[in-house]
Each structure stands twice: as structure tokens, then as C-alpha cells.
Amino acid sequence: MSDGPHRRPTRLRGTISMIAALLTARALRDAFARRRQARVTSRPLRTGEDPSQRDVAANRRAETLVAILLVGAGLFAFAFTIVYAAAGASTQLLAVTLGGALALLAAGAIVAGKALVPQEKSVEQRDVLLKEDELHEVLEIIESGGEGISRRKLLAGAAGLAGAGVLTAAVTPLASLGPDLDAIHQTPWRRGVRLVDDQGRPYTAEEVQIGSFYTALPEHADPGAFGSGLLLVKLPADRIHLPPARRDWAPEGILAYSKICPHAGCAISLYRYPTYQPTSVGPAFTCPCHYSTFSPGEGGRLMFGPAGRALPQLPLMIDAERNVRAAAPFREDIGPSWWSVRRGQS
Amino acid sequence: MAVRRRHRLQRGMRFSEERLGASRAIKWALRYVFPDHWTFLLGEIALYAFIILVASGIFLTLYYVPSDTQVIYRGPYALLRGEQMSEAYRSVLDLSFNVPAGLLVRQIHHWAADVFVAAIVLHLMRIFFTGAYRKPRDLNYFIGLTMLMLAILEGFAGYSLGDDLLSGMGLAIAYSVALAIPFVGAQLGFLIWGGQFPGSADFLPRLEIVHVLLIPLAFAVLITMHLAMIMRQHHTQFPGPGRRERNVVGTPLWPAYALRSIGLLFAVAAVLVLVGGLIQINPVWQWGPYHPYLSENGAQPDWYIGWLIGALRLMPNFEPTIAGHTLIPNPFWGGLAFPLLVFAMMFAWPAIERRVTGDYRRHDLLDRPRDRPVRTAIGAAFLSWVVIIFAVGSTDRIFVRLHVPYEEQIHFWRVGVWLLPIIVFFATRQICRWLQRTGSHPLRDWEGAVIARRRDGGFEVVADSPQDAGAAEPGPPIGTAPGQESEL
Ligand code: FES
């Protein structure tokens, strides 16, 4: 496993860096030793005493240490540029060189701040913030600006009107940001649109199997539109309990629902199909965002979670070529709720 | 040598003095005193993270393309080659794979954002639990809260720009929250997104301007105000020898504090560069491009959005309707009402405390948390309330890892989120009172007795507490100033 010529430089570098680390540690200890002593010998302060103090360091070891750290920082920083310039620079090497330079700079600055420069404790007095006489002067100056004006109310009212008008004018252009709201009810689904997969291949009734779910998109329409995505599943007849008005929405047990969660607009991507019939609950769609859970056999009824509405269902039909098509547009709005959302029945 | 150095310095100072006459201000700044306490560094860390964010952000802006035009990816990342995606997402991939040091800078930026918000939150906790928000610093506390709100928004806007699957899912939820605003939600959502989600071609450029110009500009103004106010009022300080309401004791800016603070700046930068290069964050190429019909299971947002996810998950399916109209769509509760309530309570707190305690005076000395058991307990209870909701954001991960059924966890926490904070309140108040009584420090002091060996080989108790033994450092005077007996 090990081959000598390659290992030697590594060991050599390891030894050098170990020695360097030891030296640094010793210098660091020495640099702080003086301060620790000073702290022990200084008299304890009693309440009410002036805590000001000033120690001049004159610490040659700290000077050496700071110099070493700064030189190290410079070398690491140059190494960064070299690594960058070399082809195939890796993110990790860049980080280690630049981060190392910054870390050494930080160490240098902190050691300098704690052991190199005079250590001072001083006392500053706080200002009184509220000075009554000055406040009065200011008030007088401001009020003197209104001397000789008699119809204050009129002027204030006029200024208020002007202000309100200008403010309204200033925010009016915001209205041009948004187009009109009609589009919010629209989806690409209308009678006859074929259901295709994400490669554009139409789904046939035979492809839709019990126990799986499929993502379907509208043929010849923008797959990126909010209302495009559908969940497509097939259920055995005994698991389908649609409201009477939706009797013919699920030909051959094939059902389609909007893929967009009516809670907060995520795409529903979890499908739970019972594998052990007697005890498990029925099939369910679950949204991965906040786990709203909907029942595909019951017209998208909410079973659990925060969604305020049922999952919108799309009526389906199967054409002569056995392709699955939309039988009608959505009866309700897809996606999250708003003030005038068209809510489903269930 | 020294003479020459002095001469050069003098020449430089003269040059600026003849033009600015700033020597008084400079002198004042050089002698400005910073109290020595580690908790005072939290705000500085936030400030330095912000500097890193601006620096790394400028680099990223030069490469990011805010366009939703669909293109086919042909770059070096094989797993996505041939996929349809927006130009925006492609530009983020190119930045990560093609631009030298691009990935490093992007990850530094992302880590810095997480550290930035975390430092602000910790700083806010220090401010609250020591009573630093009291007059005259209430205004500055409001500025700080505003910056926290902006920081969360800014972070969200930032990771939404990538147009990867994760950012698209986040934006879908944001769109739903906008729509959920009673009466005008749909208009507002259409205004912002330029139409039905996922929005018109105008949306990404708008989001980019908000992220790289408007909010950073607001930050620049607010940070300036924040620091100017601090300098006018000076820092607070903990009570201690020689420390009074009217003075501030500590290290002057020049030279020691300046050096240490610069050291902290470099340390923050070093940590961010190292984690940015060594620990992967938000690997956008793994999420893939966003299309509204796609989503990912087990996706988690950046940590500072977690409390909103938790609130959205915890909320029952309450969506009141009125005459066929939807009065309050469900995402309103968790996505808007909850965070607004949290911030409203924090904004209202200083006024509430003044009213309850009748203490309208100026305060420049900090409280130790234990000396205000009720305030500390209220803060801890409030914090636990938010933290529980935050934790609910990971119930699905707990289900995957520990197999605790998701639905049962939600049912449990719908009750627990109200009960646990009450328990936390009483427990905290009790602990504070006990600490006050014993005078011990939860982290530093110890409990028990000092035992010494006698000459005959037996043992005896020589002191009941470290204070008696003279072993411990004298704690600051336990400070309830006269007329301040209230526990708040
Ligand atoms: S978006 Fe589906 S549960 Fe919230």
C-alpha cells in the first residue's frame, strides 16, 4: 500500500508543520503569560473605585508571534492566487488557502490587540440626552417660523390635500405592474385535450395501472402553466365513491386531479396505495410541503392537513383510440385560495 | 526612525485637518469606550457577516441572469445535460461549474446569510434578556427588529432567485401567502408576479432588484442609524465595580479594541470562507430545474424560514368563507398572521413593560436575566413557543428517521404548542428565583461545600459556599435598584 518515495515528503511536511504548531503554541502561551501575571498582581477593585487602568505591554515575544502570523497570512494569501491561477483549482483548496490567510490575520489582530498594544480600561461619562433649556430654544425657533400666519387651518388643510394627491400619484404607476385578474381562472384544460406525459406521449387507458400514479400534462399547451399538471390514477370500482354529479368523470376507474395543492401551491408528489387491504386506510395523495392529504376515490376530499379545500377533479373521457382526454374544463379553481376562488362542492 | 514616523503621520493628519477640521470627532472616536463582554460581539458578528454578504453578492450579481426564458442545458454537469430549464437556473449552474471560484463564492454567500440571521437572532435574545431595549434604546431596538424582518425576506428572496426546484416550491408558497391576504390578495399576487404563478418574464428581474438593490439599500440606511444611535447613547454595560448608570467602563477603541474587532472581522470571514469551501450548502444541481408540476419530498428551506413551514403545517384546515367568498385562505394563518404576531409582540414589549412596571426611567445598566424572573420567564416561554413551531417544521424528517407517525405528531403539537410554553414560564421563573437566592452562576459557579483534610486524616467542612471560601470571583452586585422591586 505504501510506497516510500511518495510518503517521505508527506512525513517531512507533517514534521515541519508540527514543529511550527508547537512553536506557535509556545509563543502564544508566552504572549499571554505576562498578562496573566499582571492580572493576578493587580489589586482587586472595590465598588465605587475608579476602574481606569493602563498597562504598556512591551512584549517582544508577542511582537514575534504577530509577525509570524502576519507572514503566514501573506503566504497563504499568495497561495490562494497561485491555486486560482493553476488550472483545475478546486473549491476546497481555494477555501483552505484564503480561509487560512484570513484566520491567521484574525489571530494576528487579536494577539496584537490583547498582548502587543497598551491594555487600557477607561471610563467615559454618558451625555444627558434631554436638556430642557436646549429643548425650549429649539421649540421657540421652530414656532417663530410661523409668526404672522393667521389662517393656519386653511393652510394645513390645503397642504394635506396636496400631500394626499401627490402621494396617490406617486404610487399609481404601481398599478401598471400587474395584468388583469381574469387569467387566474384559466387552465389549459378544456373538452378534448389529450393527457400526455412529460415527453409528450399520450396516455392510453391501458397504461394507467392500479397502484401507481402518473403525472399528466395537456397536449400542445404550456407545461409550465400553473394549472397544467395533473395526477392520474386508476382505482378499483369499490374504492370509488364520487358525488352523484361526478358519476361519469372517471371512465373505467381512471381519475384525474389537479397536481397543484389547494393549500399553498406545491405539486403533490406522494401517493399512498393500501397494500394490506383489511386494516389500512384508503388510497391517498399527500403534498410534500405541509402534508395535506386527499382521497382520490372521493372526489379529492381532504383527509388530513391544512388545505382549506378539496383537490379539484378534472372530468375525463376515453376516445376511440383509447387515449385519455379531458371531458370538460375544471369546474373549480386550481391552486391556492383567494377571496373569490371558485370552491368545489365536496 | 521614530521622529520620521511621527513626521509622516503629522503630514497626513495635517492634510486632512486643513480640509476637514475633524480632529475633535477623531479624538472622540479613538477614545470611544466599548464594554468588555462577549455577548456584545453578537451584533458585531452580524455586521461582519453583512459585509461578507455584500462583497460575495457583488461577485454573484455579475454572473446571475434573471430570465425565465427556457433553454436546453449543455454545460458540464452530465446529469442535467439536455434538460429544459430557465436561463436563471442555467446561470447559477454555470456560476457553480464554469466560473473559477464561483462555487466557493456562492457557498460563502449562502453560509453568510445563515450566519447573518442567526447572529441577529442571538443578538436580539441578548438585548431582550438583559433589558437593553429600555429607554433610551427602544428606538434602536425597533430598528433592529425591522432589520431582522428584512434579513429573513432578503434571505428568502436570495435563494428564490436560483429557479431550482427548491426555490420554485418556496415561491409557490409565497405566492399562496400573498393570495391569502383577505380581499386584495389576488390583486397583490398578480401585481408582484406579473400574472398567474409562476409569473411573467418580469418577475425574476423584479425579485433580483429587490434582493440586490432595494433591501440592501434599506439595510445600509438602517445599519447606519443603528450604529449612530449606539454611538450617541454609548453601549450598555453590566453592573460591576465602578460601573454606574451615568458612565461606561471598558476598552477604548484605539488601539486595543480596534485590533480585536478587526480580528473578529477576519475570524468571521475565515470561518465563512472555510465552511463555504469545505461544507456543501444548497447544491442546486441536485434539485433540478423548477416546473410547477414538479416537487421534491423532504425538502427543507433555510433555517430562518423553518418557523413559517412549521406554522403552515401545524395549522388546522381552517378557511372561513362568507357568502361564497373565501374570507381568510389557510396559508394566511401560518405564513403571515403568525410571523406578524411574533414581531408585533416584540415591537410592543417595551411599551407593555413600561406600563406594567411603571418604570419610565432611562436605563443604561443591564439586568442579569435572573434579576427579572418574570421578564425572563415571559421571554423563555415566548421563545419556546416559536421554537416548538420551528421544530414542527421537521416532523416529516422525524417520521422518516424515527417512524413516529406524522399525523400523531401534528395532533400532539397542536396542544403541546400551548402547554409547553406555560410550563417553561413557571420553570424559568422558579430557576431565576433560585439563582437569585443562591447567588450562583449557572455556568461559572459551583455548588456544594469546601472540604479539607485534617491532620488526623479525617475531613471537615470549611465553607458552605465558594464565596465563604474566598475562592470564587466576586459576582456583580445583585442589582435591584431602589424603586425597582418589580420582577419584570
Ligand atoms: S402546499 Fe400542499 S399542504 Fe401546503
Side-chain angles (χ1 to χ4, degrees):
Chain A
M1 259 202 43
S2 66
D3 43 347
H6 278 278
R7 270 188 52 179
R8 183 158 299 149
T10 327
R11 197 182 290 163
L12 187 68
R13 222 184 298 147
T15 320
I16 291 173
S17 58
M18 208 148 86
I19 292 172
L22 277 172
L23 281 175
T24 317
R26 238 193 70 188
L28 206 64
R29 196 197 61 206
D30 292 347
F32 285 99
R34 189 204 55 79
R35 275 199 65 222
R36 218 177 298 129
Q37 254 170 20
R39 204 188 285 163
V40 172
T41 50
S42 73
R43 279 178 310 128
L45 291 159
R46 241 166 280 118
T47 314
E49 211 169 349
D50 179 10
S52 313
Q53 66 184 63
R54 187 167 198 272
D55 303 337
V56 177
N59 184 342
R60 282 187 62 100
R61 282 183 186 282
E63 282 173 19
T64 317
L65 176 60
V66 171
I68 291 173
L69 290 169
L70 290 179
V71 168
L75 293 180
F76 265 85
F78 282 124
F80 172 80
T81 309
I82 292 164
V83 168
Y84 180 94
S90 81
T91 301
Q92 287 78 1
L93 266 183
L94 289 172
V96 168
T97 47
L98 184 60
L102 290 164
L104 289 169
L105 266 179
I110 291 169
V111 172
K114 291 222 157 207
L116 196 60
V117 298
Q119 294 300 303
E120 244 181 302
K121 185 154 268 193
S122 77
V123 183
E124 235 182 321
Q125 297 305 313
R126 291 178 200 278
D127 261 349
V128 176
L129 295 172
L130 171 65
K131 301 185 186 93
E132 293 289 348
D133 46 340
E134 281 180 22
L135 178 70
H136 280 289
E137 271 175 49
V138 171
L139 285 174
E140 257 163 46
I141 294 171
I142 292 172
E143 279 169 357
S144 70
E147 265 172 57
I149 295 172
S150 56
R151 290 182 293 170
R152 269 164 202 274
K153 282 223 174 102
L154 173 72
L155 288 172
L161 185 73
V166 170
L167 211 67
T168 314
V171 296
T172 302
L174 277 182
S176 56
L177 286 179
D180 90 88
L181 208 56
D182 287 346
I184 201 168
H185 299 294
Q186 283 158 18
T187 76
W189 294 105
R190 54 205 88 255
R191 186 177 170 80
V193 175
R194 279 204 291 191
L195 278 68
V196 298
D197 66 11
D198 60 354
Q199 304 301 317
R201 285 185 300 258
Y203 281 105
T204 61
E206 280 64 38
E207 281 168 336
V208 184
Q209 301 285 318
I210 290 177
S212 305
F213 88 96
Y214 306 84
T215 296
L217 297 165
E219 193 178 28
H220 306 309
D222 176 14
F226 207 25
S228 284
L230 291 185
L231 292 160
L232 188 62
V233 290
K234 182 174 184 170
L235 292 179
D238 63 332
R239 289 211 176 267
I240 300 180
H241 312 281
L242 292 176
R246 299 189 185 181
R247 271 288 134 70
D248 49 356
W249 286 21
E252 301 178 22
I254 297 177
L255 301 114
Y257 291 89
S258 166
K259 204 175 175 189
I260 305 302
C261 182
H263 178 236
C266 286
I268 292 168
S269 60
L270 298 165
Y271 182 48
R272 187 174 71 200
Y273 192 80
T275 45
Y276 182 63
Q277 305 269 345
T279 54
S280 50
V281 281
F285 293 129
T286 301
C287 175
C289 280
H290 319 104
Y291 295 91
S292 288
T293 303
F294 306 92
S295 170
E298 301 167 277
R301 182 181 68 84
L302 181 84
M303 300 162 75
F304 174 80
R309 293 186 291 135
L311 191 61
Q313 188 183 357
L314 184 75
L316 293 182
M317 57 188 193
I318 297 170
D319 67 13
E321 285 103 61
R322 304 288 296 151
N323 286 326
V324 184
R325 291 177 187 264
F330 278 107
R331 292 281 162 80
E332 56 208 277
D333 282 320
I334 62 101
S337 297
W338 70 95
W339 168 247
S340 50
V341 66
R342 287 183 320 212
R343 305 176 72 91
Q345 304 308 311
S346 57
Chain B
M1 195 58 184
V3 175
R4 256 208 10 233
R5 198 178 58 220
R6 169 121 208 180
H7 186 69
R8 262 214 309 260
L9 183 65
Q10 230 173 42
R11 273 232 315 256
M13 284 300 292
R14 247 171 223 292
F15 179 88
S16 73
E17 274 314 287
E18 281 166 352
R19 286 152 183 85
L20 304 171
S23 60
R24 256 182 72 184
I26 294 172
K27 188 178 142 209
W28 178 84
L30 292 179
R31 300 304 300 167
Y32 183 91
V33 163
F34 291 82
D36 295 303
H37 197 272
W38 66 269
T39 56
F40 285 67
L41 301 182
L42 295 168
E44 279 182 44
I45 292 174
L47 178 67
Y48 294 147
F50 181 75
I51 291 174
I52 307 290
L53 279 168
V54 172
S56 53
I58 289 172
F59 181 89
L60 299 180
T61 337
L62 302 179
Y63 293 97
Y64 175 71
V65 181
S67 157
D68 69 345
T69 306
Q70 296 292 309
V71 292
I72 303 293
Y73 181 70
R74 306 210 183 282
Y77 188 66
L79 293 178
L80 286 176
R81 222 173 279 152
E83 279 228 31
Q84 184 185 321
M85 58 179 64
S86 67
E87 273 188 299
Y89 181 55
R90 186 178 66 179
S91 74
V92 178
L93 291 177
D94 287 348
L95 168 73
S96 307
F97 293 125
N98 301 0
V99 177
L103 178 61
L104 174 67
V105 179
R106 211 197 86 220
Q107 295 198 140
I108 290 174
H109 194 71
H110 204 115
W111 274 113
D114 284 345
V115 168
F116 180 54
V117 187
I120 296 178
V121 169
L122 292 173
H123 179 59
L124 169 63
M125 280 160 61
R126 197 273 289 177
I127 299 295
F128 181 87
F129 286 109
T130 59
Y133 53 80
R134 292 173 297 178
K135 195 167 84 179
R137 290 178 187 77
D138 39 1
L139 277 185
N140 225 1
Y141 167 73
F142 297 150
I143 291 179
L145 286 176
T146 310
M147 284 200 282
L148 175 55
M149 290 198 285
L150 282 178
I152 292 170
L153 264 182
E154 177 72 341
F156 178 76
Y159 81 70
S160 295
L161 281 171
D163 204 29
D164 55 277
L165 187 49
L166 208 57
S167 81
M169 286 168 72
L171 282 174
I173 297 173
Y175 172 79
S176 310
V177 171
L179 250 60
I181 296 170
F183 310 116
V184 297
Q187 280 83 354
L188 196 73
F190 265 52
L191 214 62
I192 296 171
W193 269 265
Q196 169 84 304
F197 188 81
S200 72
D202 297 331
F203 176 67
L204 280 178
R206 282 177 195 169
L207 189 65
E208 193 201 14
I209 286 300
V210 168
H211 181 72
V212 306
L213 180 71
L214 299 184
I215 297 183
L217 206 61
F219 264 119
V221 172
L222 291 171
I223 289 174
T224 310
M225 286 165 71
H226 204 65
L227 297 181
M229 273 195 213
I230 292 173
M231 292 203 295
R232 179 74 187 100
Q233 297 161 346
H234 283 94
H235 284 64
T236 52
Q237 62 188 353
F238 281 100
R243 302 189 199 150
R244 300 272 169 278
E245 285 279 5
R246 286 281 78 82
N247 72 11
V248 51
V249 178
T251 308
L253 177 68
W254 184 258
Y257 197 86
L259 281 170
R260 286 183 225 165
S261 195
I262 288 170
L264 183 63
L265 165 63
F266 285 131
V268 170
V271 169
L272 289 176
V273 169
L274 287 173
V275 296
L278 301 179
I279 306 179
Q280 187 181 64
I281 191 163
N282 195 25
V284 285
W285 51 90
Q286 284 179 17
W287 315 146
Y290 176 68
H291 301 292
Y293 60 86
L294 292 179
S295 68
E296 205 192 358
N297 306 330
Q300 291 282 322
D302 276 275
W303 76 269
Y304 46 82
I305 303 292
W307 59 318
L308 305 180
I309 301 290
L312 286 166
R313 286 184 179 171
L314 202 54
M315 188 63 203
N317 69 326
F318 181 50
E319 194 166 277
T321 58
I322 175 173
H325 284 286
T326 304
L327 189 59
I328 303 174
N330 189 283
F332 177 80
W333 305 112
L336 210 57
F338 166 63
L340 287 181
L341 180 69
V342 166
F343 274 99
M345 283 160 86
M346 290 193 290
F347 271 102
W349 176 257
I352 294 172
E353 192 190 70
R354 279 200 298 268
R355 284 288 287 279
V356 172
T357 60
D359 179 1
Y360 288 84
R361 286 167 310 166
R362 174 180 169 177
H363 290 278
D364 291 286
L365 279 183
L366 295 173
D367 292 324
R368 290 190 310 171
R370 73 177 70 169
D371 293 330
R372 294 284 177 276
V374 174
R375 177 208 288 151
T376 304
I378 289 175
F382 183 75
L383 189 65
S384 70
W385 182 59
V386 178
V387 167
I388 289 168
I389 295 174
F390 176 86
V392 168
S394 55
T395 35
D396 54 340
R397 300 285 84 204
I398 292 173
F399 168 62
V400 171
R401 279 279 161 80
L402 307 173
H403 305 290
V404 184
Y406 179 86
E407 302 184 7
E408 279 164 31
Q409 287 187 65
I410 293 292
H411 288 136
F412 175 80
W413 285 118
R414 277 183 186 159
V415 180
V417 73
W418 303 111
L419 285 186
L420 210 69
I422 297 176
I423 298 170
V424 168
F425 174 85
F426 287 109
T428 311
R429 198 179 60 173
Q430 220 41 48
I431 291 170
C432 285
R433 287 178 178 162
W434 175 76
L435 287 175
Q436 249 180 326
R437 229 180 15 251
T438 59
S440 63
H441 188 288
L443 302 178
R444 251 180 294 170
D445 278 356
W446 49 276
E447 249 200 298
V450 178
I451 292 175
R453 204 170 99 180
R454 287 197 307 263
R455 270 164 188 259
D456 59 14
F459 292 90
E460 68 179 348
V461 176
V462 295
D464 281 325
S465 74
Q467 276 84 2
D468 296 348
E473 55 183 282
I478 295 171
T480 313
Q484 258 186 289
E485 274 74 34
S486 162
E487 288 195 324
L488 252 175

